[in-house]
């Protein structure tokens, strides 16, 4: 019983991590950024792996099928005619589940990026005010009417962009402001 629970948790953790990597990679790639250089924490990838289910219901089915497969190992072994065949069956299923989790995670990431890059559907916070330091080379943003959105803020700096009207015809231009170049940054979720 404990072995089956451990197997379930391990397999689910693998699939969540793979989906999180796929979703995060696809999301930031849509903005022209490589997520590997952004310094994102591991919990961000886990969060993306769990919430990707909302953007790709196929991922939820993959998670459920993986858990059911582990839960019914004894019955599957009998149906396959032995433990040796079950082992090979499990290897094939883990490969299939992993590939499906990656694909579904990427799909969810692309869908989320398309929504966030769109001026009419973005849920990212609006940059209300961005004041660069006096010696910085960065132009400021004064007022939410400019329409800039906050994409990411981390130790290396701040990424902002202006959403586009049609994501199928144009891509948003992302501005990077290095850390230490800002005097103030104000955002609002519902301006």
């Amino acid at each position: 019983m404990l072995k089956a629970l451990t197997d379930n948790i391990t397999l689910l953790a693998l699939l969540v991590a793979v989906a999180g990597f796929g979703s995060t990679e696809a999301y930031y790639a849509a903005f022209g950024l490589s997520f590997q250089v952004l310094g994102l924490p591991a919990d961000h990838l886990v969060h993306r792996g769990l919430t990707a289910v909302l953007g790709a219901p196929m991922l939820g089915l993959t998670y459920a099928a993986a858990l059911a497969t582990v839960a019914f190992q004894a019955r599957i072994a009998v149906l396959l005619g032995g433990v040796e065949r079950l082992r090979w069956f499990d290897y094939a299923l883990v490969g299939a589940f992993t590939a499906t989790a990656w694909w579904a995670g990427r799909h969810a990431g692309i869908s989320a990026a398309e929504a966030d890059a769109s001026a009419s559907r973005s849920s990212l916070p609006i940059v209300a005010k961005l004041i660069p330091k006096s010696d910085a080379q960065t132009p400021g943003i004064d007022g939410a009417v400019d329409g800039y959105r906050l994409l990411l803020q981390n130790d290396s700096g701040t990424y902002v962009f202006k959403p586009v009207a049609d994501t199928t015809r144009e891509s948003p231009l992302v501005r990077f402001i290095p850390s230490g170049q800002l005097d103030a940054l104000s955002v609002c979720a519902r301006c």
Side-chain angles (χ1 to χ4, degrees):
M1 174 93 169
L2 187 56
K3 171 95 170 90
L5 180 61
T6 305
D7 290 347
N8 272 332
I9 292 170
T10 302
L11 183 57
L12 187 58
L14 168 72
L15 297 180
V16 167
V18 167
F21 272 101
S23 176
T24 302
E25 188 272 331
Y27 181 83
Y28 288 108
F31 290 98
L33 302 171
S34 174
F35 88 94
Q36 292 90 342
V37 299
L38 295 176
L40 299 172
D43 59 347
H44 178 85
L45 300 174
V46 172
H47 173 76
R48 291 297 287 224
L50 292 171
T51 58
V53 174
L54 302 174
M58 179 67 167
L59 188 56
L61 294 173
T62 302
Y63 290 168
L67 294 175
T69 300
V70 174
F72 294 108
Q73 286 289 291
R75 290 183 186 245
I76 295 171
V78 171
L79 289 173
L80 292 175
V83 175
E84 187 61 30
R85 287 185 184 162
L86 175 65
R87 183 177 315 136
W88 289 107
F89 179 74
D90 285 345
Y91 291 151
L93 278 182
V94 168
F97 289 148
T98 303
T100 303
W102 177 261
W103 174 83
R106 283 191 51 78
H107 174 73
I110 290 168
S111 296
E114 286 176 355
D116 283 343
S118 168
S120 62
R121 299 184 303 147
S122 183
S123 62
L124 294 173
I126 297 170
V127 176
K129 188 171 280 213
L130 186 142
I131 303 172
K133 291 192 182 271
S134 58
D135 60 342
Q137 301 292 328
T138 304
I141 297 172
D142 189 16
V145 294
D146 289 342
Y148 279 88
R149 301 281 181 152
L150 177 65
L151 178 62
L152 178 69
Q153 187 173 28
N154 61 19
D155 292 341
S156 63
T158 303
Y159 296 84
V160 297
F161 72 98
K162 191 166 190 164
V164 295
D166 184 3
T167 58
T168 60
R169 296 182 186 194
E170 53 188 337
S171 297
L173 180 62
V174 177
R175 286 177 48 189
F176 173 69
I177 301 122
S179 183
Q181 297 291 310
L182 293 178
D183 268 342
L185 172 67
S186 300
V187 297
C188 68
R190 294 184 174 96
C191 289

